[in-house]
Amino acid sequence: MSIYVGNLSFDATEQDLNTVFAEYGTVKQVKMPTDRETGRKRGFAFVEMSNDAEEAKAIDELEGAEWMGRTLKVNKAKPRENRGGGGNRW
């Protein structure tokens, strides 16, 4: 399971998120996607913790919480959709 964290401040770092989520258990990984063209953060992240119980507790506690001036959106991450490649296929 992975946690989706949305509505992040653009000033937030992976280390900031690691610190916040470490209060709920062991953080295995934090990923903050960036825009391919500009390299800027996109305002969301994915956090993976060591077990489902820790992730569930973090989601329950942090959903709707105020952090760095923003109201967090925290929930179970959905599997990535296969949007297919661009281009024409005949």
Side-chain angles (χ1 to χ4, degrees), residues 51-62:
N51 64 56
D52 288 348
E54 292 174 354
E55 289 184 350
K57 182 173 170 106
I59 290 168
D60 288 344
E61 298 286 328
L62 294 172

Side-chain angles (χ1 to χ4, degrees), residues 1-2 4 8 24 28 30 34 43-44 46 50 53 60 79 90:
M1 179 166 134
S2 189
Y4 167 83
L8 286 174
Y24 303 97
K28 289 172 57 177
V30 176
T34 54
F44 65 92
F46 297 97
S50 64
D60 288 344
W90 300 90

